[in-house]
């Protein structure tokens, strides 16, 4: 069973005034088949958590551990983590001019599987994956994320999620900036992924809207670099009604 | 009218004056007296390591030649002519010492003649090969394309030599010409090349300079216009390895109204003392109303210890222009792009290969010679495979 275990994770970034601590001891376990939602105010460190797990060089791990199926991933390079089964759908997907989506996807799939996908079925899979996200087949010839609308970038992330088939996926505000139709399409994609055996999901979001389509098993309130409270779906409803005041004040 | 702020300033500064010649581009002449041996302090020579020219500016006579291997398609002729004939045919005179030496010492010229209305589908490829660095070679080539003709000419340079060449491309009215000069020399070659193009009325010209090999390569791509309505696209792609000096100098002389020039040069550098120079000169003369020009140079620095010089110059003598602009940028690999690719499992090396492939992709597509596009893409990737791994900095290698 795949398990992502985050223990007392502490992370700093370097600023002009020296190091700044952003994650102040995050502990969270995402078991296989589980969906966890993280909600928290702007600047509380949600993206920092996501990027740190994925291995972005900007973030320095100053304490704690992260393991995937018992294996320390903090000692792995960014690409090793992905090959170990980790996927991050980014809040702001990056444009890569001149590299076609088709070339990018094939290179990624080959890296993750350790062998090139069968050409015939792969082209079909890619077209089906794009179509499922309401992206027409011409997208495979476009440069990665270049000139994509905000919503198209997010749908492209979820198309990758389905095609690359990781063990654990972290979605950083994939729902932001999506209109209601796109939100449904994205949710369906995420739910198909969740429906596969033993997949872990960490869903970072500001809005309970997406939780109407993707029901979490656990909800965590994230404030000032750590988990302030954990609960079931009911916690999300409380946040929707009352906002973060109770938690933000509690930390002051 | 779209003019960049920098350009607007130059418009104002220059308008009162009534200059004829560009101070960066002295008048062309065969007169060797006009071209003394440079000291290295001259504006036009200050980037070039003169010692590494290995006497190419001394003016020593030589009979050595590059071998020319080609298949000339029907309707096109390749003949030897005298220097005298070259001048009579309207060769574009030298605009610097090496070109003047080449004209004086080549002992004749090659004429590639494409008669009016000839349409040649397959590229005419001249494979120029040098045997050794010991050979001092002067080259002189004239490409004459008649009115409404269409042709693609590839000059491919391989092997080694100390080579100085003057090439003139005379493009007839309404003709459509594509020239690719490929510098794929061995590591020790020295190449000084001057390509000048005269663009006929309403003619359309593309010139691409691709430099991978050689110890020192310094080329000019110059365009001027024989009548209004001509269009020139000047493209360039280069990849400098450790110790290499690759210098590309451009000059678009808008001496006729309603002419266009579009310059895009992209390079990559890797390894200790890899040095590239790009000088993009554009002159918009007083008569040249309603012209459009844009020039752009981008450099991707892959490792420490490289140096990319990039100098766009715009001289404007009329305010009545459609558009003028330039851009120049030198950057390293974008960490965010690499992170994105690597977060999808792609290794650091493959991520760099992809980004580099993407960086050159648009340019390679623009060359417009399918037979060579694949070769160019493959060469770029082979260059990267050479030593980018050694150049990995510890942060991104984590
Ligand atoms: N390079 C950096 N330099 C300085 N501060 C940084 C840097 N990177 C992140 N931070 C700070 O760390 C904090 C956490 O940022 P993070 O992006 O993780 O928040 P978030 O919870 O994802 O916010 P949002 O809801 O707006 O996406 C913010 O206060 C941010 O300004
Ligand atoms: Mg965020």
């Amino acid at each position: 069973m795949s398990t992502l275990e985050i223990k007392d994770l502490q992370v700093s970034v370097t600023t002009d005034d020296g190091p700044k601590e952003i994650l102040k001891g995050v502990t969270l376990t995402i078991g296989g088949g589980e969906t966890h939602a993280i909600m928290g105010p702007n600047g509380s460190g949600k993206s920092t958590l996501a990027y740190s797990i994925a291995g972005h060089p900007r973030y320095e791990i100053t304490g704690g551990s992260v393991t995937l199926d018992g294996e320390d991933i903090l000692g792995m390079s960014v690409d090793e983590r992905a090959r170990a089964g980790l996927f991050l759908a980014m809040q702001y997907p990056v444009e890569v001019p001149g590299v076609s989506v088709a070339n990018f996807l094939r290179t990624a799939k080959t890296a993750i599987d350790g062998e090139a996908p069968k050409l015939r079925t792969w082209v079909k899979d890619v077209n089906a994956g794009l179509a499922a996200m309401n992206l027409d087949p011409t997208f495979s010839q476009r440069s990665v994320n270049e000139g994509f609308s905000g919503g198209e970038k997010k749908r492209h992330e979820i198309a990758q999620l389905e095609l690359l088939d990781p063990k654990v996926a972290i979605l950083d505000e994939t729902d932001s900036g999506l209109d209601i139709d796109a939100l449904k399409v994205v949710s369906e994609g995420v739910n198909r992924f969740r429906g596969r055996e033993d997949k872990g999901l960490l869903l970072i979001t500001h809005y309970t809207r997406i939780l109407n389509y993707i029901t979490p098993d656990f909800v965590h309130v994230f404030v000032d670099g750590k988990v302030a409270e954990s609960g079931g779906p009911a916690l999300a409803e409380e946040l929707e009604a009352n906002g973060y005041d109770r938690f933000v004040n509690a930390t002051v | 009218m779209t003019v960049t702020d920098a350009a607007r300033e130059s418009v104002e500064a220059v308008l009162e004056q009534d200059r004829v010649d560009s101070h960066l581009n002295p008048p062309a002449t065969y007169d060797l007296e006009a071209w003394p041996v440079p000291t290295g302090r001259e504006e036009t020579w200050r980037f070039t390591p003169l010692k590494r020219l290995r006497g190419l500016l001394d003016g020593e006579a030589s009979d050595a030649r590059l071998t020319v291997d080609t298949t000339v398609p029907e309707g096109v002729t390749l003949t030897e002519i005298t220097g005298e004939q070259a001048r009579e045919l309207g060769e574009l005179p030298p605009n610097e010492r090496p070109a003047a030496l080449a004209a004086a010492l080549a002992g004749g010229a090659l004429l590639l003649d494409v008669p009016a209305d000839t349409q040649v589908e397959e590229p005419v490829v001249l494979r120029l090969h040098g045997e050794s660095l010991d050979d001092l070679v002067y080259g002189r080539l004239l490409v004459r394309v008649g009115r409404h003709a269409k042709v693609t000419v590839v000059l491919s340079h391989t092997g080694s030599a100390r080579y100085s060449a003057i090439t003139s491309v005379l493009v007839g009215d309404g003709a459509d010409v594509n020239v690719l000069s490929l510098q794929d020399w061995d590591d020790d070659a020295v190449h000084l090349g001057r390509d000048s193009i005269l663009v006929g009325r309403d003619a359309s010209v593309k010139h691409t300079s691709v430099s991978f090999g050689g110890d020192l390569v310094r080329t000019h791509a110059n365009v001027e216009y024989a009548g209004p309505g001509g269009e020139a696209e000047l493209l360039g792609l280069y990849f400098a390895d450790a110790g290499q000096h690759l210098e590309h100098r451009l000059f678009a002389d808008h001496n006729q109204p309603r002419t266009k020039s579009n310059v895009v040069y992209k390079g990559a550098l890797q390894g200790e003392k890899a040095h590239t120079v790009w000088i993009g000169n554009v002159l918009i003369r007083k008569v040249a109303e309603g012209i459009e020009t844009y020039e752009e140079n981008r450099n991707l620095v892959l490792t420490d210890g490289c140096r990319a010089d990039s100098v766009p110059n715009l001289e404007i003598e009329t305010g009545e222009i459609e558009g003028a602009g330039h851009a120049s940028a030198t950057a390293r690999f974008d960490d965010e792009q690499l992170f994105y690719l690597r977060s999808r499992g792609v290794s650091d090396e493959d991520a760099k290969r992809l980004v580099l492939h993407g960086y050159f992709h648009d340019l390679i597509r623009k060359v417009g010679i399918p037979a060579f596009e694949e070769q160019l893409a493959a060469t770029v990737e082979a260059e990267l495979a050479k030593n980018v791994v050694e150049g990995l900095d510890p942060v991104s290698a984590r």
Side-chain angles (χ1 to χ4, degrees):
Chain A
M1 191 171 107
S2 56
T3 304
L4 182 72
E5 202 169 1
I6 306 160
K7 268 196 201 149
D8 196 28
L9 186 67
Q10 294 156 43
V11 172
S12 293
V13 293
T14 315
T15 70
D16 292 341
D17 314 323
K20 177 182 167 192
E21 188 177 40
I22 297 178
L23 298 189
K24 302 172 177 172
V26 179
T27 298
L28 200 60
T29 300
I30 296 145
E34 294 177 3
T35 294
H36 293 241
I38 287 188
M39 304 186 72
N42 290 132
S44 55
K46 305 179 299 293
S47 290
T48 302
L49 176 65
Y51 277 124
S52 302
I53 296 170
H56 194 292
R58 192 187 320 136
Y59 302 95
E60 193 196 343
I61 314 291
T62 53
S65 66
V66 181
T67 59
L68 180 59
D69 298 338
E71 269 207 81
D72 169 30
I73 65 158
L74 297 181
M76 299 181 191
S77 68
V78 176
D79 42 297
E80 282 168 348
R81 295 178 199 204
R83 293 197 295 271
L86 204 66
F87 179 88
L88 169 61
M90 293 186 203
Q91 187 173 359
Y92 304 107
V94 182
E95 301 184 355
V96 192
V99 176
S100 70
V101 166
N103 189 1
F104 164 63
L105 292 175
R106 186 172 12 84
T107 308
K109 185 69 176 171
T110 304
I112 282 177
D113 290 0
E115 58 177 0
K118 296 241 166 7
L119 199 60
R120 267 243 155 125
T121 51
W122 176 244
V123 172
K124 262 205 307 210
D125 289 350
V126 168
N127 286 337
L130 293 175
M133 285 299 117
N134 265 351
L135 298 170
D136 72 72
T138 59
F139 270 82
S140 67
Q141 291 316 313
R142 289 177 61 177
S143 292
V144 172
N145 294 323
E146 197 180 38
F148 289 21
S149 73
E152 286 165 352
K153 284 181 183 169
K154 299 299 182 73
R155 284 182 273 151
H156 178 222
E157 296 288 281
I158 300 308
Q160 293 171 50
L161 169 70
E162 287 197 75
L163 287 165
L164 299 180
D165 195 33
K167 290 179 182 167
V168 178
I170 303 172
L171 311 188
D172 189 2
E173 296 202 23
T174 300
D175 54 327
S176 303
L178 294 182
D179 63 30
I180 190 69
D181 293 330
L183 184 70
K184 279 185 191 162
V185 163
V186 160
S187 301
E188 283 163 15
V190 174
N191 283 330
R192 279 192 297 273
F193 170 73
R194 288 208 301 163
R196 297 178 193 167
E197 204 168 329
D198 204 32
K199 302 295 182 186
L201 185 68
L202 181 60
L203 196 72
I204 296 172
T205 181
H206 271 293
Y207 311 102
T208 47
R209 194 174 65 141
I210 193 171
L211 303 182
N212 297 330
Y213 299 96
I214 304 171
T215 315
D217 302 299
F218 304 91
V219 174
H220 310 276
V221 184
F222 205 79
V223 180
D224 192 26
K226 48 179 188 269
V227 177
E229 191 167 315
S230 299
L235 185 54
E237 280 156 35
E238 191 209 320
L239 289 173
E240 175 84 346
N242 303 328
Y244 297 112
D245 281 2
R246 174 162 82 82
F247 306 97
V248 175
N249 292 336
T251 64
V252 177
Chain B
M1 182 169 107
T2 53
V3 186
T4 60
D5 284 347
R8 212 183 295 276
E9 276 170 36
S10 355
V11 174
E12 282 157 15
V14 168
L15 270 180
E16 305 99 73
Q17 307 173 27
D18 191 20
R19 288 189 296 115
V20 177
D21 294 312
S22 158
H23 70 281
L24 293 162
N25 303 279
T29 169
Y30 288 95
D31 181 9
L32 272 173
E33 305 263 296
W35 310 114
V37 180
T39 62
R41 288 187 297 276
E42 298 79 1
E43 178 59 32
T44 50
W45 287 101
R46 66 188 179 99
F47 292 105
T48 316
L50 297 178
K51 268 198 228 119
R52 283 161 60 188
L53 293 178
R54 297 168 181 272
L56 207 41
L57 296 176
D58 295 351
E60 192 188 322
S62 171
D63 293 336
R65 292 278 170 270
L66 301 184
T67 56
V68 184
D69 170 24
T70 185
T71 324
V72 178
E74 223 183 281
V76 177
T77 57
L78 183 67
T79 51
E80 293 206 22
I81 57 172
T82 64
E84 194 108 301
Q85 287 173 310
R87 288 169 74 149
E88 278 162 14
L89 287 172
E91 179 183 45
L92 298 162
N95 56 311
E96 59 161 12
R97 181 171 175 86
L101 289 176
L105 300 170
L110 278 179
L111 171 67
L112 183 73
D113 206 15
V114 185
D117 300 311
T118 311
Q119 308 276 317
V120 188
E121 288 310 322
E122 285 300 300
V124 181
V125 185
L126 303 186
R127 289 181 198 80
L128 307 170
H129 184 80
E131 283 308 324
S132 133
L133 187 64
D134 296 337
D135 292 345
L136 175 64
V137 182
Y138 300 102
R140 190 174 189 180
L141 172 68
L142 215 65
V143 178
R144 185 171 65 163
V145 183
R147 54 191 306 178
H148 301 299
K150 181 171 189 244
V151 68
T152 294
V153 179
V154 178
L155 305 175
S156 155
H157 303 90
T158 57
S160 190
R162 289 173 290 153
Y163 183 53
S164 181
I166 178 168
T167 299
S168 305
V169 183
L170 310 174
V171 180
D173 294 349
D176 183 350
V177 176
N178 191 351
V179 177
L180 168 64
S181 181
L182 185 58
Q183 286 71 245
D184 206 1
W185 297 105
D186 290 348
D187 286 346
D188 59 356
V190 181
H191 179 185
L192 299 178
R194 191 228 62 178
D195 294 359
S196 283
I197 303 165
L198 181 64
V199 185
R201 185 187 184 106
D202 299 323
S204 157
V205 177
K206 186 182 290 193
H207 178 280
T208 307
S209 182
V210 176
S211 302
F212 292 120
D215 175 62
L216 189 156
V217 173
R218 172 181 149 127
T219 63
H220 289 260
N222 304 331
V223 288
E224 58 192 273
Y225 302 83
E231 290 182 17
E233 189 169 21
L234 303 177
L235 307 176
L237 187 163
Y238 48 90
F239 204 129
D241 291 324
Q244 261 186 317
H245 178 94
L246 302 178
E247 179 167 347
H248 297 92
R249 307 182 74 93
L250 287 301
F251 181 34
D253 186 349
H254 284 278
N255 55 344
Q256 293 284 343
R258 296 187 307 285
T259 49
K260 286 187 192 170
S261 65
N262 184 37
V263 178
V264 183
Y265 269 64
K266 276 187 170 186
L269 299 85
Q270 64 179 359
E272 274 305 308
K273 300 227 159 61
H275 188 194
T276 64
V277 179
W278 179 85
I279 311 289
N281 293 336
V282 174
L283 171 62
I284 304 170
R285 293 183 192 262
K286 203 152 196 166
V287 295
E289 296 192 348
I291 68 103
E292 273 176 62
T293 175
Y294 179 73
E295 48 172 355
E296 175 180 333
N297 174 229
R298 294 193 186 279
N299 292 292
L300 190 59
V301 174
L302 307 184
T303 69
D304 289 336
C306 311
R307 177 164 160 196
D309 288 300
S310 180
V311 187
N313 290 308
L314 195 51
E315 294 179 84
I316 306 180
E317 296 178 349
T318 173
E320 302 301 312
I321 55 183
E322 277 299 314
H326 57 72
S328 161
T330 297
R332 291 182 164 266
F333 273 125
D334 182 320
D335 283 341
E336 297 303 320
Q337 287 179 356
L338 295 181
F339 173 73
Y340 186 75
L341 296 171
R342 293 181 67 193
S343 78
R344 272 39 174 166
V346 179
S347 71
D348 184 60
E349 208 183 324
D350 284 344
K352 287 181 168 163
R353 191 168 298 146
L354 269 183
V355 170
L356 193 75
H357 170 90
Y359 171 73
F360 282 124
H361 179 77
D362 291 357
L363 192 64
I364 290 176
R365 288 286 300 274
K366 274 196 196 140
V367 172
I369 312 177
F372 280 83
E373 285 171 11
E374 229 167 89
Q375 185 192 328
L376 292 181
T379 310
V380 164
E381 298 200 3
E383 285 285 335
L384 183 67
K386 266 192 200 165
N387 70 356
V388 78
V389 177
E390 291 165 29
L392 291 185
D393 55 339
V395 178
S396 54
R398 250 187 9 168

